[in-house]
Amino acid sequence: MFESAAQVHKIDKATFKAEEAKLREALLDAQFDLIEQKRFAVLIVLAGIDGAGKSAALARLNEWLDPRHVETAVIDEPSPEEAARPPHWRYWRALPAKGKIGIFVGSWYREAFAGSALGGGEEGQLERALAAIARFETMLADEGLLVIKLWLHLSRADQKKRLKEIDSIPGGGRHVVEHRWMHKNYEKLMPVMQNIVRLTSSGDAPWVVVPSADEEYRDLMIGQTVLAAMRKRLDSPPPPKVAAAPVVVAGLDRKTALDALDLSAKLDKARYEKELARYQLRLAELTDAKAFRDVALVVAFEGTDAAGKGGTIRRLTCALDPRKVKVYPIAAPTDEEKAQPYLWRFWRHIPAKGQIAIFDRTWYGRVLVERVEGFCSEADWLRAYAEINDFEEQLLESGVILAKLWLAIGKDEQLRRFQDREKVPYKRYKITKEDWRNREKWDAYTQAIGDMVDRTSTDRAPWTLVSSEDKNWARVQVLKTLSDRLEAAL
Amino acid sequence: MFESAAQVHKIDKATFKAEEAKLREALLDAQFDLIEQKRFAVLIVLAGIDGAGKSAALARLNEWLDPRHVETAVIDEPSPEEAARPPHWRYWRALPAKGKIGIFVGSWYREAFAGSALGGGEEGQLERALAAIARFETMLADEGLLVIKLWLHLSRADQKKRLKEIDSIPGGGRHVVEHRWMHKNYEKLMPVMQNIVRLTSSGDAPWVVVPSADEEYRDLMIGQTVLAAMRKRLDSPPPPKVAAAPVVVAGLDRKTALDALDLSAKLDKARYEKELARYQLRLAELTDAKAFRDVALVVAFEGTDAAGKGGTIRRLTCALDPRKVKVYPIAAPTDEEKAQPYLWRFWRHIPAKGQIAIFDRTWYGRVLVERVEGFCSEADWLRAYAEINDFEEQLLESGVILAKLWLAIGKDEQLRRFQDREKVPYKRYKITKEDWRNREKWDAYTQAIGDMVDRTSTDRAPWTLVSSEDKNWARVQVLKTLSDRLEAAL
């Protein structure tokens, strides 16, 4: 993997100065076009061996580019805010928006390395991490990011020299123990680094290995690589992606998971009040328990229009400590959200440990409304199932308790409620022309819901379908589901 | 994952007959267009739970389609010929050519399941297998295959009924023990199957879950899914793929791994003859050893034009038992090979255990001549590095010993040899106009070679660069490399 980089690569000062002047101008040009077009974001990943000069290269890029549109993320020890959330959270919050350039130093590769046997991880942990990284980067590329990955390499002798230099500067010796260990294990590190580069080099996001013994050579190569990649994408946008094998057809009888629901389920008032109080108390206790401080709760509400999500959410929140809970109603994305990959606007609201996030409509919008209304391409919503599964897996892995609730009513009941809303003045704001339009696409939505449940309900992150024609029944079911889930997890 | 499929799905005989008649005609129409267009192949994967009727569905598809253009592969126990080769070999040999429909029953999913904890595998084995499958299927899709994956599902009760039926028919009870075990473990199987479906459902090759309790329902759903997918691809070919991030730029100083080679290395005649005899004997002994019966040897020769691959290969083969060795000169692909994914024409020649395959030019053509001459798109050769790494990993995993040799000469030496070939009558067939044309692209080839070594040389499958200006030196180096490799492995 590092054969070319292992050669001696040098450049003299005069050549560097001449090349640098040209490069700088061209880079600023490209950056200006990027800002103007605002069609995509650039993500530069700087990784590689210790001592190769990731920080110095970062400084140089910031010197060459207009730093107002460059966002830098140095992935070192997580901040307390980051440590309290799933590991991927901090990558998502640092992603550059369209028109911006993001530079990640370290990034998910540092974390993957820590999972190698050499880094103290378990058997197979590195391979799993690398497979997840490959899927993550493919998703970023599919979402339109230009991903440029630069692996900085040094030979054993050059590393020794460089680490000595670093350790001798005042304040530079911070990592001296780590440096010594890294260098001592150079020969063992190489196969691990080879594996990392090999298993995460894809057509979507290939690695470029940068020989880093000579600083000018290193920086010029980085700059020219970034320039070439940006220029190409700026000058020739890729054609839209087409789904390779769109083989999702409606079931012949159009029966879905929803058909198993008994919509006639009911709870009388006395029973309702008793059960409601019981589960509200239970939820309050569970979320106040000491063990809850080590987990977080994410509740995803979806459902038929007019199924009563709002009322149910109110019954839930009033049982919870308001300092711990936040409700996120998901409407059309903001400009800022539109400039980011799809899942970004959900990642930003993932709660810290001990906290609760309630989503009123969720990331499933992509495979529901966006699919049915054609707001995204077929290729986009088809890949979204796998992306959502990966997203939820990352939440679960880090100890988030996830509940996905579908509140269901039948077509007749919906009509009754729509008409009711139009009649009652204080309910009128709840019904719009759009609701009526969606209703016309009832069958398409039903199909999309069925596919969604089939493709994203798993043992670890199951969908709970709740019959909501009787609101009492629905509310108690939801509270009971959450109580049970918390009880099992704590 | 199986929520919709868990519902009762039935279709009455009259509806089935009417729908079947329409479907049959439409399927034959689509198949005829496929044969006419010859643009792509269709691969139908039938997988799922035991007893769901994979074989019956296969029979029905064969009844509906024109069986002359359907190729069926039932992946059960491997034949002796298959067992002697890497596990993927049998999938490759059964792949449908362009214009054909291939139906795989069982396939790589049967094997992946055997690697689950429930199937007796080790920790993490299933996840690794599924990640490899996802990469494999993405490659097939990238190579233009239409991949349609159907997962046949049964509820526990329906499975019980069906397995009883199967076990009661004469000859059907072959798998009665296995069936009983599968059924007894239904509840444990479900999460494993969920994982399989979840982790291998991609935008390129999504699963369709088929409720299989009612046979007519099952078959009709399968037929309509196949029809819809074929029709869509036939009527609207996908746009060409564009490399998302083509960030491979030439190193600034154009130095590659080749620059580390000392081209002046020499061996005098006496020493050459002694060493040649020594290593030929050693190779003969090693490949005749009993331990060699459990492995296979694949030697990949690449090199500069006129570097002397032919002569070196002759010195190698004359040391080996001719019953064991085959030499494959790789030229332009045949029509049959062009109708298959790129790696197919190499997979077909992978040797059985105890055998030796020598490739004169190899799968690296894609990232060398095809890249430089523009015979494939940038997106194609960029993804080829990862595909080649996966391919070689599969060989190594199954015990193949792999040697990759680059025979290198300098530009001046090549000119001398070209001129010499033109002068000497019996050598004249060895030099063509194409050789001179390639020579004009020396720099582009050098860059491609450097990238190839950087991206595909790993600890387990390293490139060996051999200085070949002195033929004696080169031949001994090659034989020594192979001897050492065999000695280390046996």
Side-chain angles (χ1 to χ4, degrees), chain B residues 417-443:
Chain B
R417 291 192 188 180
F418 274 14
Q419 287 167 343
D420 184 50
R421 282 180 176 189
E422 285 192 326
K423 270 181 254 160
V424 183
Y426 76 90
K427 281 186 180 168
R428 211 169 288 156
Y429 80 94
K430 284 171 126 189
I431 180 93
T432 65
K433 274 188 189 157
E434 210 187 309
D435 291 320
W436 287 104
R437 265 202 308 276
N438 290 348
R439 190 176 152 77
E440 283 167 27
K441 296 184 181 156
W442 183 274
D443 290 345

Short mmCIF file of all heavy atoms in Angstrom, two decimals, chain B residues 417-443:
data_model
loop_
_atom_site.label_atom_id
_atom_site.label_comp_id
_atom_site.label_asym_id
_atom_site.label_seq_id
_atom_site.Cartn_x
_atom_site.Cartn_y
_atom_site.Cartn_z
N ARG B 417 15.62 -3.75 -26.99
CA ARG B 417 15.00 -5.07 -27.23
C ARG B 417 14.00 -5.01 -28.39
O ARG B 417 13.88 -5.94 -29.16
CB ARG B 417 14.31 -5.56 -25.96
CG ARG B 417 15.31 -5.91 -24.87
CD ARG B 417 14.68 -6.66 -23.71
NE ARG B 417 15.65 -6.81 -22.62
CZ ARG B 417 15.38 -7.43 -21.47
NH1 ARG B 417 14.19 -7.96 -21.26
NH2 ARG B 417 16.31 -7.54 -20.54
N PHE B 418 13.25 -3.92 -28.48
CA PHE B 418 12.30 -3.77 -29.59
C PHE B 418 13.04 -3.81 -30.91
O PHE B 418 12.66 -4.51 -31.84
CB PHE B 418 11.55 -2.43 -29.47
CG PHE B 418 10.33 -2.47 -28.59
CD1 PHE B 418 10.08 -3.53 -27.73
CD2 PHE B 418 9.41 -1.43 -28.63
CE1 PHE B 418 8.96 -3.56 -26.91
CE2 PHE B 418 8.29 -1.44 -27.82
CZ PHE B 418 8.06 -2.49 -26.96
N GLN B 419 14.13 -3.03 -30.98
CA GLN B 419 14.91 -2.96 -32.22
C GLN B 419 15.50 -4.32 -32.55
O GLN B 419 15.49 -4.77 -33.70
CB GLN B 419 16.00 -1.89 -32.09
CG GLN B 419 15.41 -0.49 -32.15
CD GLN B 419 16.39 0.59 -31.71
OE1 GLN B 419 17.40 0.29 -31.05
NE2 GLN B 419 16.08 1.84 -32.04
N ASP B 420 15.98 -4.99 -31.53
CA ASP B 420 16.55 -6.33 -31.68
C ASP B 420 15.49 -7.30 -32.23
O ASP B 420 15.75 -8.09 -33.13
CB ASP B 420 17.04 -6.80 -30.31
CG ASP B 420 17.73 -8.14 -30.39
OD1 ASP B 420 18.61 -8.28 -31.26
OD2 ASP B 420 17.37 -9.04 -29.60
N ARG B 421 14.29 -7.21 -31.69
CA ARG B 421 13.22 -8.10 -32.12
C ARG B 421 12.89 -7.87 -33.60
O ARG B 421 12.55 -8.79 -34.32
CB ARG B 421 11.96 -7.85 -31.29
CG ARG B 421 12.06 -8.50 -29.91
CD ARG B 421 10.83 -8.27 -29.07
NE ARG B 421 10.97 -8.99 -27.80
CZ ARG B 421 10.00 -9.12 -26.92
NH1 ARG B 421 8.82 -8.58 -27.14
NH2 ARG B 421 10.21 -9.79 -25.81
N GLU B 422 12.96 -6.65 -34.04
CA GLU B 422 12.65 -6.36 -35.43
C GLU B 422 13.72 -6.88 -36.38
O GLU B 422 13.43 -7.17 -37.52
CB GLU B 422 12.47 -4.85 -35.61
CG GLU B 422 11.13 -4.39 -35.03
CD GLU B 422 10.76 -2.98 -35.43
OE1 GLU B 422 11.68 -2.15 -35.57
OE2 GLU B 422 9.56 -2.71 -35.58
N LYS B 423 14.93 -6.99 -35.86
CA LYS B 423 16.04 -7.44 -36.70
C LYS B 423 16.08 -8.96 -36.83
O LYS B 423 16.32 -9.50 -37.90
CB LYS B 423 17.37 -6.93 -36.11
CG LYS B 423 17.77 -5.55 -36.67
CD LYS B 423 19.09 -5.11 -36.08
CE LYS B 423 18.85 -4.02 -35.05
NZ LYS B 423 19.93 -3.82 -34.10
N VAL B 424 15.84 -9.64 -35.73
CA VAL B 424 15.99 -11.10 -35.71
C VAL B 424 14.70 -11.75 -36.23
O VAL B 424 13.64 -11.56 -35.64
CB VAL B 424 16.31 -11.60 -34.28
CG1 VAL B 424 16.53 -13.10 -34.28
CG2 VAL B 424 17.50 -10.85 -33.72
N PRO B 425 14.79 -12.50 -37.33
CA PRO B 425 13.57 -13.04 -37.96
C PRO B 425 12.66 -13.80 -36.99
O PRO B 425 11.47 -13.53 -36.91
CB PRO B 425 14.12 -13.96 -39.05
CG PRO B 425 15.49 -13.44 -39.35
CD PRO B 425 16.01 -12.86 -38.07
N TYR B 426 13.21 -14.72 -36.21
CA TYR B 426 12.33 -15.56 -35.37
C TYR B 426 11.75 -14.80 -34.18
O TYR B 426 10.92 -15.28 -33.45
CB TYR B 426 13.04 -16.85 -34.93
CG TYR B 426 14.06 -16.66 -33.83
CD1 TYR B 426 13.67 -16.75 -32.48
CD2 TYR B 426 15.39 -16.39 -34.12
CE1 TYR B 426 14.62 -16.57 -31.48
CE2 TYR B 426 16.31 -16.21 -33.12
CZ TYR B 426 15.92 -16.31 -31.81
OH TYR B 426 16.84 -16.14 -30.80
N LYS B 427 12.25 -13.60 -33.99
CA LYS B 427 11.69 -12.81 -32.89
C LYS B 427 10.68 -11.79 -33.39
O LYS B 427 10.04 -11.10 -32.59
CB LYS B 427 12.81 -12.05 -32.17
CG LYS B 427 13.62 -12.92 -31.20
CD LYS B 427 14.60 -12.06 -30.42
CE LYS B 427 15.42 -12.91 -29.45
NZ LYS B 427 16.56 -12.15 -28.90
N ARG B 428 10.55 -11.72 -34.74
CA ARG B 428 9.76 -10.62 -35.27
C ARG B 428 8.28 -10.71 -34.87
O ARG B 428 7.61 -9.69 -34.73
CB ARG B 428 9.92 -10.56 -36.79
CG ARG B 428 9.80 -9.13 -37.31
CD ARG B 428 10.20 -9.03 -38.75
NE ARG B 428 11.63 -9.16 -38.97
CZ ARG B 428 12.18 -9.55 -40.13
NH1 ARG B 428 11.41 -9.86 -41.15
NH2 ARG B 428 13.48 -9.63 -40.25
N TYR B 429 7.77 -11.91 -34.69
CA TYR B 429 6.35 -12.07 -34.30
C TYR B 429 6.08 -11.46 -32.91
O TYR B 429 4.95 -11.21 -32.53
CB TYR B 429 5.96 -13.54 -34.31
CG TYR B 429 6.39 -14.28 -33.07
CD1 TYR B 429 5.53 -14.44 -31.98
CD2 TYR B 429 7.68 -14.81 -32.96
CE1 TYR B 429 5.94 -15.09 -30.84
CE2 TYR B 429 8.10 -15.45 -31.82
CZ TYR B 429 7.22 -15.59 -30.76
OH TYR B 429 7.63 -16.23 -29.62
N LYS B 430 7.16 -11.24 -32.20
CA LYS B 430 7.00 -10.75 -30.83
C LYS B 430 6.82 -9.24 -30.77
O LYS B 430 6.59 -8.69 -29.70
CB LYS B 430 8.24 -11.10 -30.00
CG LYS B 430 8.30 -12.56 -29.58
CD LYS B 430 9.65 -12.82 -28.98
CE LYS B 430 9.57 -13.42 -27.60
NZ LYS B 430 10.88 -13.46 -26.96
N ILE B 431 6.97 -8.56 -31.90
CA ILE B 431 6.88 -7.10 -31.84
C ILE B 431 5.82 -6.59 -32.84
O ILE B 431 5.80 -7.01 -33.99
CB ILE B 431 8.27 -6.45 -32.08
CG1 ILE B 431 8.19 -4.92 -32.03
CG2 ILE B 431 8.89 -6.90 -33.39
CD1 ILE B 431 8.48 -4.38 -30.66
N THR B 432 4.94 -5.75 -32.34
CA THR B 432 3.85 -5.25 -33.19
C THR B 432 3.80 -3.73 -33.09
O THR B 432 4.46 -3.12 -32.25
CB THR B 432 2.50 -5.80 -32.72
OG1 THR B 432 2.23 -5.27 -31.41
CG2 THR B 432 2.51 -7.32 -32.66
N LYS B 433 2.95 -3.16 -33.94
CA LYS B 433 2.75 -1.70 -33.89
C LYS B 433 2.22 -1.27 -32.53
O LYS B 433 2.50 -0.19 -32.05
CB LYS B 433 1.76 -1.28 -34.97
CG LYS B 433 2.45 -1.05 -36.31
CD LYS B 433 1.47 -0.45 -37.31
CE LYS B 433 2.11 -0.42 -38.69
NZ LYS B 433 1.11 -0.38 -39.77
N GLU B 434 1.42 -2.17 -31.95
CA GLU B 434 0.84 -1.84 -30.65
C GLU B 434 1.93 -1.64 -29.59
O GLU B 434 1.81 -0.78 -28.71
CB GLU B 434 -0.08 -2.97 -30.22
CG GLU B 434 -1.24 -2.51 -29.35
CD GLU B 434 -2.02 -3.70 -28.83
OE1 GLU B 434 -2.39 -4.57 -29.65
OE2 GLU B 434 -2.23 -3.77 -27.61
N ASP B 435 2.97 -2.47 -29.67
CA ASP B 435 4.06 -2.32 -28.71
C ASP B 435 4.67 -0.93 -28.81
O ASP B 435 4.95 -0.29 -27.80
CB ASP B 435 5.13 -3.39 -28.95
CG ASP B 435 4.62 -4.78 -28.61
OD1 ASP B 435 3.91 -4.90 -27.59
OD2 ASP B 435 4.92 -5.74 -29.35
N TRP B 436 4.85 -0.46 -30.03
CA TRP B 436 5.42 0.88 -30.21
C TRP B 436 4.46 1.95 -29.70
O TRP B 436 4.88 2.95 -29.11
CB TRP B 436 5.75 1.12 -31.70
CG TRP B 436 6.97 0.35 -32.15
CD1 TRP B 436 6.98 -0.79 -32.92
CD2 TRP B 436 8.34 0.65 -31.86
NE1 TRP B 436 8.26 -1.22 -33.13
CE2 TRP B 436 9.13 -0.36 -32.47
CE3 TRP B 436 8.99 1.65 -31.11
CZ2 TRP B 436 10.52 -0.38 -32.40
CZ3 TRP B 436 10.38 1.62 -31.06
CH2 TRP B 436 11.13 0.62 -31.68
N ARG B 437 3.19 1.73 -29.95
CA ARG B 437 2.19 2.70 -29.47
C ARG B 437 2.19 2.78 -27.95
O ARG B 437 2.16 3.85 -27.35
CB ARG B 437 0.78 2.31 -29.95
CG ARG B 437 0.35 3.00 -31.24
CD ARG B 437 -1.16 3.00 -31.37
NE ARG B 437 -1.74 1.67 -31.22
CZ ARG B 437 -1.83 0.78 -32.20
NH1 ARG B 437 -1.39 1.05 -33.40
NH2 ARG B 437 -2.38 -0.41 -31.98
N ASN B 438 2.20 1.58 -27.31
CA ASN B 438 2.22 1.56 -25.84
C ASN B 438 3.44 2.31 -25.30
O ASN B 438 3.37 3.01 -24.28
CB ASN B 438 2.29 0.12 -25.31
CG ASN B 438 0.99 -0.62 -25.56
OD1 ASN B 438 -0.02 -0.01 -25.91
ND2 ASN B 438 1.01 -1.93 -25.38
N ARG B 439 4.55 2.15 -26.01
CA ARG B 439 5.80 2.77 -25.58
C ARG B 439 5.67 4.30 -25.50
O ARG B 439 6.27 4.95 -24.65
CB ARG B 439 6.90 2.38 -26.55
CG ARG B 439 8.28 2.76 -26.09
CD ARG B 439 9.35 2.26 -27.05
NE ARG B 439 10.50 3.13 -26.98
CZ ARG B 439 11.40 3.11 -26.00
NH1 ARG B 439 11.27 2.24 -25.03
NH2 ARG B 439 12.41 3.96 -25.98
N GLU B 440 4.85 4.84 -26.44
CA GLU B 440 4.65 6.29 -26.43
C GLU B 440 3.94 6.75 -25.15
O GLU B 440 4.03 7.91 -24.77
CB GLU B 440 3.83 6.73 -27.65
CG GLU B 440 4.67 6.76 -28.92
CD GLU B 440 3.79 6.87 -30.15
OE1 GLU B 440 2.68 7.43 -30.02
OE2 GLU B 440 4.22 6.39 -31.22
N LYS B 441 3.20 5.82 -24.54
CA LYS B 441 2.49 6.19 -23.30
C LYS B 441 3.25 5.75 -22.06
O LYS B 441 2.66 5.44 -21.03
CB LYS B 441 1.11 5.56 -23.32
CG LYS B 441 0.26 6.11 -24.46
CD LYS B 441 -1.15 5.55 -24.44
CE LYS B 441 -1.93 6.12 -25.60
NZ LYS B 441 -3.05 5.24 -25.97
N TRP B 442 4.54 5.67 -22.17
CA TRP B 442 5.39 5.16 -21.07
C TRP B 442 5.04 5.82 -19.74
O TRP B 442 4.86 5.14 -18.72
CB TRP B 442 6.85 5.40 -21.44
CG TRP B 442 7.82 4.86 -20.41
CD1 TRP B 442 8.24 5.51 -19.29
CD2 TRP B 442 8.43 3.57 -20.39
NE1 TRP B 442 9.10 4.72 -18.58
CE2 TRP B 442 9.24 3.50 -19.24
CE3 TRP B 442 8.39 2.47 -21.24
CZ2 TRP B 442 10.00 2.38 -18.92
CZ3 TRP B 442 9.15 1.36 -20.92
CH2 TRP B 442 9.93 1.30 -19.77
N ASP B 443 4.90 7.15 -19.73
CA ASP B 443 4.67 7.84 -18.46
C ASP B 443 3.31 7.50 -17.85
O ASP B 443 3.19 7.31 -16.64
CB ASP B 443 4.78 9.36 -18.66
CG ASP B 443 6.22 9.77 -18.93
OD1 ASP B 443 7.12 8.94 -18.68
OD2 ASP B 443 6.43 10.90 -19.41
#
